Amino acid sequence: MKILWLSRWDSRNPTDGQLVYSEGLISSLEHLGADIHVIATARTAGAPMTSSSSRTIVAPSVWPRAFSLMTNISSDSFKQRSTAFRESIESALTDRPDVIIFDYYATGWMLEHIQDFYERMGKDRPFLVYLSHNHEASLRPKVAQGYSGNALKKWAVRHDAEKAAAMENQLVAACDLICAITDQDSAQYQRDFPDKFHLTILPGYTGSVREPGHISESTPRRVIMMGSLLWIAKQESIRRFILAARQGFEDANIEFLVLGRAEPDFLQSIEALSPSVRAVGFVDDPLPFLHASRIGLMPDELGGGFKLRIMDYIFNGVPVAAIRSQAEGLPLNGTSDMLTADGATELAQAIIANIDDIGRLNEMATQAQAKCSGKFDWENRSKMLVKTIEMGISSASGRS
């Protein structure tokens, strides 16, 4: 099976959940013997274009993201839309792929160029797959509604959300198979597009594993949050949590450690909100910080999909505290296996109430890891994807 995989960013050496998800599927498909050619944008500005038999990495557009306001595409797509990317796609299409995978909604800007190519050639198009990371058509408007910035920026965020939702809907309408990251997201796609093939692909996990039970009285009274903080939804969620937890964490002498890619100004702004916050930003090796923490936090009140960073907590023996909606897809009990709550204030209170209960923390970590062990395998995910694609191609051939 020859697959053309279109990505927003080069997913090698992933630094956030979106990249981990993409690279996990790409690598496991390659391991199964699929013939994949990936076209993606370099994550570093000014990086030269590189090309091999399996990957073409093009430089990002030189235009600032803000210029997307003057176009009909979302800001997420704007840095990828370039002449070099279009030419790379056209070259790859001449190699006659059997399947084209649009990885993330922001690749939707490429759809028109691909449709034009096959129309010009007078050929039937390949089987089209949309790999969703969130149900953007419902998520983006919610994120925009919850944004608390100045009026002008709030208008820009809402305008961008409308374009993102429209782009995803166009992409889903054009594709044959819709792959969602949670059953909840898949149900929304099935409701709106019942005539498509649908598949839920939960992520796999190949990271570090540490036996649970290591939390003790000597473990710092620290709550850790890991993950990229470049998206507005993430920034809003962590601000809300800090404000909700501020007084309680200060009174209880709990440190809140934040690791992940972020703009320096943002890290400084959240440290200024509370003396309990230590915003370190990106580190090459987060494990020493994680292993010296009592609770791993996922505070996203805004945002959907599957939170891959939760897997780092679980498989490193650190108990999880999360907004209830962020535990979708996990085979865990939200009461006995982790701390969950509907909002930031309630979640902060649960953390404060349990931060010194060493026995319960280790028990939650042990139960969570036991229930997740063996259930997050990338190869099984890829086999399921290949089987569904083959069924879809066979069905399409039978109708023609």
Side-chain angles (χ1 to χ4, degrees):
M1 180 184 293
K2 189 177 291 186
I3 300 174
L4 174 58
W5 188 292
L6 304 175
S7 283
R8 181 188 179 202
W9 298 114
D10 181 8
S11 58
R12 292 172 297 182
N13 303 311
T15 55
D16 62 36
Q18 185 181 120
L19 299 173
V20 168
Y21 187 62
S22 298
E23 188 61 25
L25 284 172
I26 291 169
S27 298
S28 57
L29 284 168
E30 289 176 331
H31 184 71
L32 291 176
D35 180 3
I36 302 181
H37 187 86
V38 178
I39 305 178
T41 306
R43 304 202 308 262
T44 304
M49 179 173 174
T50 61
S51 185
S52 67
S53 59
S54 61
R55 303 215 188 203
T56 298
I57 308 301
V58 303
S61 168
V62 298
W63 297 103
R65 281 171 62 102
F67 279 39
S68 67
L69 289 170
M70 296 180 287
T71 73
N72 64 349
I73 66 171
S74 71
S75 59
D76 283 338
S77 302
F78 191 70
K79 295 297 287 184
Q80 280 65 50
R81 192 174 70 168
S82 66
T83 300
F85 211 127
R86 286 193 294 268
E87 290 175 348
S88 297
I89 292 173
E90 184 133 350
S91 175
L93 293 178
T94 62
D95 203 27
R96 303 180 66 180
D98 303 302
V99 181
I100 300 175
I101 296 181
F102 295 87
D103 179 4
Y104 190 55
Y105 92 93
T107 58
W109 71 268
M110 310 170 196
L111 177 64
E112 183 180 352
H113 301 287
I114 291 170
Q115 292 171 329
D116 287 347
F117 174 87
Y118 286 101
E119 186 175 336
R120 291 197 317 268
M121 296 296 104
K123 296 178 180 178
D124 292 336
R125 64 165 176 78
F127 191 79
L128 303 183
V129 179
Y130 171 46
L131 183 67
S132 165
H133 292 247
N134 292 297
H135 187 269
E136 306 290 346
S138 61
L139 172 64
R140 294 285 168 149
K142 290 178 183 176
V143 171
Q145 186 65 36
Y147 181 66
S148 59
N150 64 64
L152 181 59
K153 193 166 184 180
K154 189 162 190 173
W155 171 85
V157 170
R158 288 184 177 181
H159 182 54
D160 194 61
E162 291 169 358
K163 291 191 289 184
M167 179 173 285
E168 181 181 59
N169 284 331
Q170 290 169 2
L171 192 54
V172 174
C175 286
D176 304 295
L177 168 62
I178 314 304
C179 299
I181 199 169
T182 66
D183 287 335
Q184 289 81 358
D185 283 357
S186 186
Q188 293 190 80
Y189 290 121
Q190 290 180 54
R191 180 197 63 207
D192 297 332
F193 298 91
D195 58 329
K196 307 290 183 179
F197 289 94
H198 293 272
L199 177 65
T200 298
I201 306 179
L202 291 172
Y205 183 79
T206 56
S208 169
V209 177
R210 187 189 193 203
E211 291 294 320
H214 56 80
I215 298 172
S216 68
E217 295 290 347
S218 63
T219 304
R221 301 178 73 255
R222 173 185 296 153
V223 175
I224 189 171
M225 196 207 80
M226 294 165 36
S228 173
L229 293 168
L230 297 174
W231 188 31
I232 287 174
K234 294 282 188 182
Q235 295 171 1
E236 284 293 305
S237 292
I238 194 171
R239 282 196 193 99
R240 290 184 184 191
F241 181 81
I242 291 170
L243 293 174
R246 179 167 54 190
Q247 192 61 54
F249 274 29
E250 289 178 29
D251 293 344
N253 195 29
I254 297 171
E255 180 188 37
F256 181 29
L257 179 65
V258 180
L259 301 184
R261 290 195 181 277
E263 295 294 337
D265 288 350
F266 175 74
L267 295 176
Q268 292 173 11
S269 73
I270 60 173
E271 282 195 333
L273 292 175
S274 169
S276 298
V277 177
R278 182 157 68 101
V280 174
F282 178 78
V283 295
D284 289 326
D285 183 9
L287 292 181
F289 297 94
L290 181 59
H291 293 166
S293 300
R294 295 193 182 188
I295 292 173
L297 178 68
M298 193 58 66
D300 300 26
E301 289 187 276
L302 302 170
F306 188 101
K307 303 307 175 188
L308 281 84
R309 285 301 181 189
I310 287 182
M311 308 308 296
D312 288 308
Y313 303 153
I314 291 171
F315 284 103
N316 280 278
V318 176
V320 176
I323 297 296
R324 206 179 313 277
S325 61
Q326 303 308 296
E328 290 180 1
L330 291 171
L332 303 181
N333 183 294
T335 301
S336 59
D337 303 333
M338 59 191 300
L339 300 176
T340 59
D342 291 323
T345 299
E346 184 186 351
L347 187 61
Q349 291 170 348
I351 290 170
I352 294 166
N354 287 276
I355 193 78
D356 292 316
D357 191 339
I358 304 301
R360 186 174 185 213
L361 294 178
N362 282 318
E363 182 182 11
M364 286 192 297
T366 299
Q367 291 176 175
Q369 192 175 111
K371 289 183 178 180
C372 289
S373 181
K375 292 185 172 67
F376 293 89
D377 178 71
W378 280 119
E379 188 167 320
N380 288 339
R381 282 15 178 198
S382 295
K383 287 179 179 178
M384 186 168 54
L385 174 58
V386 170
K387 182 178 179 180
T388 306
I389 289 172
E390 289 174 342
M391 288 173 53
I393 292 175
S394 176
S395 176
S397 299
R399 292 196 301 266
S400 60

